[in-house]
Amino acid sequence: MTSTTTSPAAPTTHRIAAIPADGVGIEVIDAGRHVLDVVAKIAGDFSFDWTEFDWGSEYYAQHGRMMPEDGLETLKPFDAIYFGAVGWENVRDDVSLWGLRLNITQNFDQWANIRPVRFLPGVLSPLRKADDTQLDWVCVRENSEGEYAGLGGRNLAGRGPGNEVAIQSSLFTEKGCERIMRYAFDLARTREVKKVSSVTKSNAQQYGMVLWDEVFARVAADYPDVETESVLVDAMSAKFVLKPEDLSVVVASNLNADILSDLGSALAGSLGLAASANINPERRFPSMFEPVHGSAPDIAGQGICNPIGTISSGALMLEHLGHPDAARVVEAAIENVTGRGVKTRDIGGSASTREVAEAVAAEVEALWRADEDTRTPDTSDAALA
Ligand code: IPM
Ligand code: MN
């Protein structure tokens, strides 16, 4: 196509499905959307077209299911999903989770779950060494199989009380292990410290985890420039506390990474800080961005929950959608805001959810303006995937 005019290209519109779901999910998605809309407005070359869905435990109370039967079909055309939190007392947790969040991650083959552990200025870590040591690592979670394969069953209830049995099988496939490990190595290559730590338990789990180790050794051979180690999950939990400066990229199976990522965010100061990206790297399906924390019924509806995990997840979404500069600005804005002491209660402040979101949005504007002269419109397709 040729054109004689020099007018800028029309802004890209990203169609995003917002699913706040339960509890504090509603407040944090509202906060995250506010920041993302400000980023888009100020960047000027993209915008968000939001569609909000009321799926979740309240929807379940009315319809007997967490999302409509054709919910996945409805979500499929979106560019990404921005997800809050799921779980409420009216629905058993396994029903609500498999009915919504795990339904989406599994069926959209969001096999890579990326969870950065970030230590922010002005946020006290329970780790004393965080005061004077540079700490920064990423958990790369296998997100499609392993201990979350959903394989198993219950039986023998007919024999009477006390006799029922249950089997919950883990599934490890060479393909599943290999793709997440390659993802971890590729990510490590983009980082200052080029190292991948594999989390295993092959001393006790002699089938699945031995396969995991074998695939790790095979994949590592293709990345001679990346340092590796293989650490048992129990030892890794100790290492998170005792020698976290040794970590850069940590690749682990579904359950092991689930547990370790909570430990990581607690060490960084609060579960409310941690971001998460459920990525379908092939982009056959929309990827989903969400905070690591849950629906927090004890503080839901009070406007005091920490929106930073959700706002940081928004930064991961910006990166995935091809706006790495905008993502960096959001991350820098978060650092400046916590550094100034604008913080929610969980990290020792007294600001409301909304106040933190507004402070981050204002800081995004200030940083963007300060940088305006040097900035060129961001059209790069670089992304997490
Ligand atoms: C998380 C959560 C989920 C998980 C639950 C809600 C199913 O704990 O995102 O870490 O275990 O994957
Ligand atoms: Mn978890």
Side-chain angles (χ1 to χ4, degrees), residues 44-59:
D45 56 343
F46 65 93
S47 66
F48 291 109
D49 175 10
W50 299 96
T51 305
E52 188 156 313
F53 295 93
D54 65 349
W55 305 341
S57 298
E58 216 174 289
Y59 184 94

Side-chain angles (χ1 to χ4, degrees), residues 75-336:
L75 290 177
K76 205 172 161 201
F78 284 89
D79 297 319
I81 302 164
Y82 201 37
F83 192 90
V86 68
W88 206 249
E89 61 189 10
N90 65 317
V91 193
R92 226 177 58 196
D93 281 343
D94 60 310
V95 174
S96 62
L97 291 163
W98 278 99
L100 188 58
R101 186 188 167 281
L102 291 172
N103 193 10
I104 296 169
T105 52
Q106 299 250 335
N107 285 297
F108 284 175
D109 202 19
Q110 295 166 345
W111 52 265
N113 184 201
I114 311 308
R115 297 185 157 185
V117 179
R118 291 181 68 214
F119 288 72
L120 296 172
V123 178
L124 204 60
S125 163
L127 279 182
R128 264 180 303 168
K129 72 164 52 167
D131 296 344
D132 53 21
T133 315
Q134 173 70 28
L135 299 176
D136 160 38
W137 70 94
V138 186
C139 293
V140 173
R141 173 184 186 183
E142 200 299 310
N143 213 33
S144 65
E145 52 179 55
E147 308 84 348
Y148 281 56
L151 299 174
R154 290 171 60 161
N155 211 340
L156 308 186
R159 288 190 186 172
N163 287 306
E164 197 172 352
V165 296
I167 292 180
Q168 184 86 44
S169 297
S170 297
L171 174 77
F172 289 90
T173 67
E174 280 195 73
K175 276 198 176 130
C177 297
E178 179 163 346
R179 64 185 183 177
I180 197 64
M181 288 165 182
R182 287 196 183 280
Y183 195 101
F185 277 95
D186 290 337
L187 179 63
R189 275 186 169 161
T190 69
R191 292 173 58 84
E192 205 178 309
V193 178
K194 296 174 181 33
K195 175 173 179 183
V196 177
S197 305
S198 164
V199 178
T200 183
K201 191 62 194 175
S202 50
N203 55 349
Q205 295 178 311
Q206 73 273 55
Y207 308 118
M209 279 291 158
V210 170
L211 181 71
W212 173 275
D213 289 356
E214 286 171 9
V215 176
F216 185 69
R218 181 155 56 73
V219 171
D222 289 342
Y223 296 82
D225 51 319
V226 179
E227 192 192 336
T228 62
E229 66 178 352
S230 183
V231 183
L232 295 168
V233 63
D234 41 358
M236 183 57 95
S237 64
K239 185 164 185 163
F240 264 42
V241 176
L242 299 173
K243 222 176 168 221
E245 65 276 19
D246 224 31
L247 303 171
S248 180
V249 174
V250 175
V251 65
S253 65
N254 219 328
L255 180 62
N256 286 340
D258 175 46
I259 297 165
L260 288 173
S261 58
D262 267 31
L263 178 56
S265 50
L267 292 173
S270 169
L271 235 66
L273 300 170
S276 171
N278 300 282
I279 308 276
N280 172 245
E282 297 83 11
R283 296 177 186 254
R284 286 172 50 231
F285 300 100
S287 294
M288 180 161 70
F289 301 82
E290 56 168 3
V292 168
H293 65 72
S295 60
D298 53 329
I299 56 162
Q302 298 177 34
I304 57 168
C305 59
N306 194 338
I308 289 181
T310 308
I311 298 171
S312 300
S313 303
L316 296 175
M317 184 164 85
L318 286 168
E319 183 154 355
H320 182 74
L321 294 171
H323 307 291
D325 285 359
R328 294 295 87 76
V329 170
V330 172
E331 283 165 359
I334 290 170
E335 287 181 8
N336 292 352

